[in-house]
Amino acid sequence: MTIRYKNSFFPLLGAVLLLLASCGGKEKRDYPKVQTDSVVIGTALPVDSGRGRAVCDVAIRYDYVQAAPTEEVRRKINDRLLAELLGQGYVGSGIRQALDSFRTDYEKRYRREMMQLRSFAADYGTALPPEQGYRIELDSRLVYNCCGIATFHCLLREQAAGAEPETRERLLNFDVQTGDLLSLDDLFAEGYEERIDAMLLKELLAANRVRTLAELEELGYFSSSSLYPSPNFRIAGEKLLFLYNPADGVGPYDADVATVVGLDLDALSLLFSENSPLRRVEE
């Protein structure tokens, strides 16, 4: 929300603002933050001793927490990131070791799959795809670090044997004071779903310049799911963004990128729970 008076008033105004800053302003702004570093890994290896054009391509750029208010918070956030993005089996080792293991496991997996694919083609006389290679891209970045909330955006794009690439995005929000992963239930009071559903629908109708749910369905929305507040969410300026991957079945059926719907935090404020971290943002 953006907000758009004799000369003797200005010194008084300045004094009041200075007093507010010294008494309460600093307390509202001085929430803990995380510090991050990145690991970058890139390999492109032949799947089977260099024959043909089959290549396993792995590209990783991964932000992790290097420093946090406490060592426990740092560990909790990093462990949860690894579990959510790579899998629970990669938790417990160092960040670089976990990512190297993920890369190695991916390469082994697709070496096996390529062997099976070639065996199947030989047995049944089926032509192999022109491009037989495999590629996985993992890009995880810190995109919000304010008001005691740290948000990581993760993009995972995978393409196998010439098929269309599949892209999935994750948004993971952490309370920097505790290291806990935040859910919508941590932000809003009980019963928020129906109210937010209505607000999301209103935004989608306006964005598509239609007036009814049926018209949205004719445009390809809700092909396999009704509308719901997505657990993929993040703060962006004065809005809370809800992200829906193509596989979620909410956005247009032919969409190849995520559908994002933003709601004003000010409009959502009446739904905040008593201890909602979003109240810090609204201060």
Side-chain angles (χ1 to χ4, degrees):
M1 180 176 60
T2 303
I3 300 179
R4 314 265 187 232
Y5 228 101
K6 294 176 176 154
N7 291 342
S8 61
F9 178 73
F10 291 146
L12 177 60
L13 176 61
V16 171
L17 292 176
L18 181 62
L19 179 61
L20 288 174
S22 62
C23 294
K26 184 176 184 301
E27 293 177 352
K28 292 182 179 181
R29 293 192 301 268
D30 194 18
Y31 290 107
K33 295 184 177 182
V34 299
Q35 297 177 24
T36 60
D37 202 351
S38 302
V39 173
V40 178
I41 297 174
T43 61
L45 302 177
V47 173
D48 55 355
S49 304
R51 293 182 296 167
R53 289 184 288 175
V55 174
C56 183
D57 189 359
V58 180
I60 298 174
R61 186 202 180 280
Y62 187 94
D63 281 0
Y64 65 94
V65 177
Q66 185 181 52
T70 67
E71 176 61 21
E72 181 184 5
V73 167
R74 185 193 70 81
R75 179 188 55 77
K76 283 179 67 175
I77 294 178
N78 283 332
D79 284 355
R80 192 61 183 266
L81 283 171
L82 288 174
E84 293 286 334
L85 304 182
L86 305 185
Q88 186 64 41
Y90 295 95
V91 176
S93 55
I95 301 297
R96 178 72 193 218
Q97 182 178 349
L99 294 171
D100 282 337
S101 295
F102 176 81
R103 176 196 60 188
T104 300
D105 292 345
Y106 185 86
E107 292 167 352
K108 289 179 178 178
R109 170 188 165 193
Y110 284 107
R111 277 193 172 93
R112 291 194 301 268
E113 290 198 4
M114 285 303 299
M115 290 177 62
Q116 294 170 356
L117 183 60
R118 286 197 172 91
S119 176
F120 180 87
D123 291 342
Y124 294 94
T126 304
L128 289 171
E131 296 293 338
Q132 304 163 30
Y134 290 80
R135 174 179 175 81
I136 187 167
E137 176 186 356
L138 175 64
D139 191 299
S140 178
R141 305 192 184 222
L142 178 69
V143 294
Y144 187 83
N145 192 20
C146 185
C147 303
I149 300 170
T151 303
F152 290 81
H153 175 269
C154 175
L155 181 145
L156 181 67
R157 180 179 290 116
E158 187 172 6
Q159 185 173 18
E164 289 296 318
E166 180 182 356
T167 301
R168 300 182 296 278
E169 297 181 57
R170 294 287 307 278
L171 291 165
L172 301 172
N173 302 270
F174 293 91
D175 189 327
V176 178
Q177 298 177 115
T178 63
D180 293 335
L181 182 65
L182 294 171
S183 70
L184 291 174
D185 290 344
D186 298 315
L187 306 183
F188 297 106
E190 185 177 355
Y192 66 87
E193 293 91 346
E194 185 175 348
R195 296 280 300 276
I196 293 182
D197 281 352
M199 297 169 72
L200 290 168
L201 178 59
K202 183 178 179 180
E203 287 295 319
L204 280 175
L205 291 171
N208 288 276
R209 299 181 181 180
V210 295
R211 301 181 63 181
T212 67
L213 175 63
E215 288 175 293
L216 281 178
E217 292 173 342
E218 290 176 2
L219 293 175
Y221 284 86
F222 318 128
S223 59
S224 60
S225 174
S226 57
L227 189 58
Y228 60 91
S230 174
N232 267 339
F233 63 89
R234 62 159 292 192
I235 300 163
E238 298 173 355
K239 289 184 175 291
L240 191 67
L241 306 183
F242 295 87
L243 183 149
Y244 303 88
N245 284 296
D248 294 334
V250 171
Y253 71 90
D254 58 349
D256 55 5
V257 296
T259 298
V260 179
V261 186
L263 299 179
D264 290 336
L265 285 169
D266 188 51
L268 290 166
S269 61
L270 292 178
L271 303 179
F272 292 171
S273 59
E274 182 177 357
N275 297 315
S276 173
L278 292 180
R279 292 188 181 277
R280 310 172 199 160
V281 185
E282 283 286 271
E283 288 179 347

